[in-house]
Amino acid sequence: MSKNRVSRRQFLSYTLTGVGGFMAAGMLMPMVRFAVDPVLQAKAGGNYIPTPQKVADITEVPTRVDFTFEQQDAWYNSEETGTAWVYKDDKGEIVALSPVCKHLGCVVNWEGDKSNPDHFYCPCHGGLYTKDGTNVPGTPPIAPLDVYPYIEKDGYLHLGKAEPKKGA
Amino acid sequence: MKWISQDIDMYLKSKEYVDTAVLPLFPVSLRDDIKQTAAMSEFISLLSIQLERQFRGRLVMFPGYSYLKSFPEDKLISDIKLWEKELTEKGFKHVLYLTSDSSWKALESQFDGGLIWLPSLPLEHMDEQYKNTILDDQVKQLLQLFLQKWQSGE
């Protein structure tokens, strides 16, 4: 028998503290996790879709970039393709425009009409957009082309979900 | 626009912009050429999806007309003529048929709508990526054809 043997009272209080601590942690952790969740959210890379376009290869001329992603409709996964017109503007910043015409949803082409160089052209009803995606007044579209948010990851361009152009 | 209620709502709202009807023609056979007819139908239905995506604002992609390869020619012609009559009466200026079945080539002169005949490609052995590129190229070629059609009609 050693001198510092644990008394029954001590043993019980240690055990209760230990078990109580686990239980308190078990209840508090999810609450804390819940409260600080916005901070832990991944800012980038969450819903960005990789494209085969290398950032270094982007020029000032809009190029068509096709990418595929999995779309989940309830339990059904299907492979969808998306397209973007990508170029660098005067300041050297990357611009990724959605090719969907804001009129009735056809696909616009860069310089698709010979009489309108330096414009995006919609073959359906002759809609025109300037290089930055602004609609040309007098043609059917009523809003500028949507813009994709983008990030650069491992040298490749990743695109988010297209949103209406800001300040329009 | 596809033949779905959401797109048809859009069609009803902007009828004046939609003047083209596209009707894919799907051959069906259960005889020796069962595989070919299936491949043709597969190719045309995939192509029609891409084509609709490119031109959705100006055309309505109708659900295909399926027919048995054993149908007599006069039945095919009279059926197509019925489609044509209904579509032109309801305001479609351009009616186009999309098919891989070369037997339509011989009948083309007997109806007014334009026939777009494309040889079917062996898609079964291609991976998804390659398939999409091939179909995209085909749609790009059709782009010119559609533009010419629309310009000549205006």
Side-chain angles (χ1 to χ4, degrees):
Chain A
M1 290 285 166
S2 67
K3 261 193 272 169
N4 45 357
R5 56 173 259 184
V6 182
S7 74
R8 180 174 307 204
R9 183 184 295 271
Q10 263 177 319
F11 173 75
L12 276 174
S13 77
Y14 286 157
T15 320
L16 276 178
T17 319
V19 172
F22 269 117
M23 282 168 69
M27 285 196 301
L28 284 173
M29 272 302 283
M31 288 191 215
V32 174
R33 176 70 178 70
F34 192 68
V36 299
D37 186 65
V39 185
L40 299 177
Q41 277 290 327
K43 280 281 181 305
N47 287 316
Y48 284 81
I49 298 150
T51 69
Q53 176 70 41
K54 277 188 185 146
V55 171
D57 293 348
I58 297 173
T59 59
E60 294 198 340
V61 181
T63 358
R64 194 185 156 132
V65 176
D66 291 307
F67 53 93
T68 54
F69 56 95
E70 291 233 316
Q71 184 167 310
Q72 199 174 7
D73 293 324
W75 56 84
Y76 178 73
N77 277 320
S78 60
E79 190 143 288
E80 286 287 317
T81 53
T83 307
W85 286 101
V86 179
Y87 67 94
K88 273 188 181 139
D89 66 9
D90 305 336
K91 291 173 219 133
E93 272 175 46
I94 297 167
V95 178
L97 294 173
S98 154
V100 177
C101 181
K102 296 301 273 185
H103 177 220
L104 285 171
C106 293
V107 176
V108 300
N109 285 309
W110 175 247
E111 300 195 327
D113 183 29
K114 287 184 191 75
S115 49
N116 286 296
D118 279 335
H119 280 80
F120 289 103
Y121 175 71
C122 175
C124 287
H125 304 100
L128 283 173
Y129 302 87
T130 53
K131 193 175 175 182
D132 63 354
T134 316
N135 50 314
V136 174
T139 61
I142 39 155
L145 293 173
D146 285 353
V147 181
Y148 285 106
Y150 69 90
I151 51 163
E152 187 187 336
K153 209 173 176 185
D154 307 327
Y156 285 92
L157 185 72
H158 287 53
L159 296 176
K161 200 173 182 304
E163 345 177 292
K165 193 177 166 150
K166 286 183 198 87
Chain B
M1 288 156 209
K2 296 189 273 281
W3 192 248
I4 56 173
S5 51
Q6 196 186 349
D7 284 9
I8 295 308
D9 266 346
M10 189 160 101
Y11 164 67
L12 292 173
K13 267 183 222 142
S14 36
K15 251 184 185 170
E16 69 273 25
Y17 289 108
V18 186
D19 63 353
T20 307
V22 179
L23 182 67
L25 306 173
F26 298 127
V28 175
S29 162
L30 293 169
R31 302 181 188 181
D32 299 341
D33 47 356
I34 177 166
K35 188 110 190 253
Q36 284 100 299
T37 54
M40 285 175 189
S41 303
E42 183 191 8
F43 173 69
I44 291 300
S45 68
L46 286 173
L47 189 72
S48 68
I49 294 171
Q50 296 267 10
L51 195 64
E52 189 273 337
R53 192 172 294 162
Q54 170 69 49
F55 294 118
R56 61 174 299 126
R58 190 159 175 182
L59 60 78
V60 177
M61 185 62 73
F62 282 94
Y65 168 63
S66 313
Y67 56 95
L68 286 171
K69 282 290 271 177
S70 53
F71 278 0
E73 283 184 4
D74 356 332
K75 175 170 167 52
L76 291 177
I77 292 169
S78 68
D79 274 7
I80 287 299
K81 282 199 163 150
L82 284 176
W83 273 96
E84 211 155 62
K85 187 160 170 278
E86 182 81 14
L87 292 172
T88 37
E89 263 172 23
K90 292 290 177 281
F92 288 102
K93 264 173 36 194
H94 308 279
V95 180
L96 293 165
Y97 309 104
L98 194 62
T99 189
S100 280
D101 183 356
S102 56
S103 50
W104 286 101
K105 262 299 183 203
L107 311 175
E108 191 184 4
S109 54
Q110 301 186 46
F111 44 79
D112 304 324
L115 182 77
I116 302 172
W117 176 78
L118 293 159
S120 102
L121 297 167
L123 294 174
E124 53 181 325
H125 304 301
M126 291 179 194
D127 63 53
E128 207 62 33
Q129 194 76 41
Y130 192 52
K131 214 190 258 185
N132 281 332
T133 340
I134 295 267
L135 287 168
D136 253 11
D137 282 348
Q138 300 268 343
V139 170
K140 258 174 220 151
Q141 288 180 23
L142 289 178
L143 187 89
Q144 290 309 317
L145 197 131
F146 273 81
L147 286 179
Q148 276 167 18
K149 262 238 141 45
W150 285 336
Q151 268 153 17
S152 65
E154 269 155 16

